[in-house]
Amino acid sequence: MTAANNGASTPEDDDPFGYLYEDGRAAGATPPGQSRGYGYPGPAAQPGVPRTSYNQVRTVGERQYGQQVPQQQQSYAQQGQPTAQYAAPETYPGGAPTRPVPPQTGGHGGGRSGGPNTKGLLIGAIAVVAVVVIGIAAALITSGGDDKAGGQSGGDGGTSAGQSVKPSDEPSTSKDPQEPLPKQDAATLQLGAPAALAKDIKGAEGAGGAFVTGFNAVGASVTWKAKIAEAGAYRLYVRYAIPAQDANATLTVNGKANTNPLGLKNFIHSTDPAWEKNWQTTWAPVNLNKGENELKISCEAGNQCNVILDWLEVKEG
């Protein structure tokens, strides 16, 4: 088999670093060795005869990728000879395609796919706060309806029950803000003998410490004419003291006596008979008319009236 014609010299005689001697050749330097290297005069190019090197050396940055193959290179390929210029495979028709690099999405980037769902967290937090506020409001509404009055005496079909409570724990309310519900010291009421005024027991809240005594006898009474803005159901509160023993009296409203007596019980469960240590409060339901109403507390037959009276007050009930 006949070897191919490689020109005036073989590739192994080429100096691969000959281009480095470019400046030397220009200055007239003598080439190293017998062969002609890059940068030195060589045999003149002959038509149809390829160069002595398979690869054509180019200055760094001169090669342009993606361009069409020069006509001379195409002719080498047609003759079955090595091409004088190398180009990346992807620059030729049908060459290997480049692989696109997928865009990277960071877990903490600014896109919606990364990071926590802050909108959902905000909605959840608002919902929790709303539930807590509604629960507190409901608790306040339900607790506000409880009656702090402890003692309850029978009246209009009621039965005696409950415990004592201070008047300050049960503030007065009014149906008409312009005309508050009435409260009156027992000492300023109309008294029925043998009821009388006294000031010798401490703890009375009436003017000057006065209270009503002498009530432990049939016929003793106090009468109060109270003005009411609107008709309706109310409560009559009475502050009293007993010698650590239950008592009761008759309550008459607008001329009609209640079926059950007014309970003046020992709600604080005191065992000390001293009067000043047994002040407490009771109440009874009453139906009052608009305008003036007459409320009477009396000691009648069958009552246990060993009691002293401090004040009377009407409240909504």
Side-chain angles (χ1 to χ4, degrees):
M1 181 177 180
T2 304
N5 187 3
N6 290 328
S9 63
T10 58
E12 58 269 17
D13 293 332
D14 290 342
D15 184 356
F17 301 100
Y19 68 95
L20 298 177
Y21 310 138
E22 180 87 22
D23 295 338
R25 185 194 65 174
T30 302
Q34 297 300 323
S35 63
R36 301 287 182 171
Y38 293 106
Y40 298 95
Q46 298 296 326
V49 179
R51 298 175 49 106
T52 59
S53 174
Y54 291 106
N55 296 310
Q56 180 180 0
V57 178
R58 292 178 178 268
T59 305
V60 176
E62 182 180 352
R63 185 186 304 277
Q64 300 294 328
Y65 292 97
Q67 296 181 351
Q68 295 182 354
V69 181
Q71 183 67 30
Q72 181 181 4
Q73 182 175 342
Q74 293 181 1
S75 63
Y76 291 159
Q78 294 174 358
Q79 298 174 10
Q81 300 295 332
T83 60
Q85 175 182 335
Y86 171 79
E90 59 268 18
T91 62
Y92 293 97
T98 58
R99 179 180 300 176
V101 179
Q104 300 295 327
T105 57
H108 301 282
R112 296 177 61 90
S113 61
N117 188 356
T118 55
K119 183 176 180 181
L121 294 177
L122 178 60
I123 295 176
I126 294 175
V128 172
V129 173
V131 171
V132 173
V133 171
I134 293 174
I136 294 175
L140 292 176
I141 293 174
T142 55
S143 62
D146 295 339
D147 196 322
K148 295 182 180 179
Q152 176 185 2
S153 62
D156 293 339
T159 58
S160 299
Q163 293 183 353
S164 175
V165 67
K166 292 183 180 180
S168 59
D169 295 336
E170 194 84 24
S172 299
T173 56
S174 173
K175 290 179 179 297
D176 186 358
Q178 303 299 326
E179 188 173 352
L181 293 173
K183 179 179 180 180
Q184 192 75 28
D185 292 340
T188 62
L189 302 180
Q190 178 182 346
L191 304 182
L197 299 181
K199 297 182 179 181
D200 58 341
I201 298 177
K202 297 179 180 181
E205 298 177 352
F211 58 91
V212 175
T213 188
F215 212 75
N216 192 17
V218 175
S221 66
V222 294
T223 302
W224 181 27
K225 292 185 178 181
K227 187 176 181 180
I228 304 298
E230 296 182 13
Y234 294 86
R235 289 182 179 184
L236 174 64
Y237 284 82
V238 180
R239 187 170 189 262
Y240 63 97
I242 52 177
Q245 295 179 353
D246 290 345
N248 58 60
T250 298
L251 173 63
T252 302
V253 180
N254 294 325
K256 181 180 180 181
N258 286 359
T259 304
N260 296 317
L262 175 66
L264 305 170
K265 295 184 177 182
N266 183 17
F267 292 114
I268 63 175
H269 306 290
S270 174
T271 57
D272 190 341
W275 292 88
E276 63 269 16
K277 295 182 179 180
N278 289 277
W279 288 106
Q280 47 199 303
T281 305
T282 189
W283 63 271
V286 293
N287 291 319
L288 302 179
N289 303 324
K290 182 178 180 179
E292 189 174 80
N293 293 265
E294 183 179 273
L295 303 171
K296 179 181 179 181
I297 299 176
S298 59
C299 183
E300 305 294 341
N303 291 142
Q304 299 175 359
C305 308
N306 192 17
V307 62
I308 57 177
L309 303 177
D310 189 8
W311 51 254
L312 284 72
E313 181 178 13
V314 172
K315 295 184 179 182
E316 293 182 350

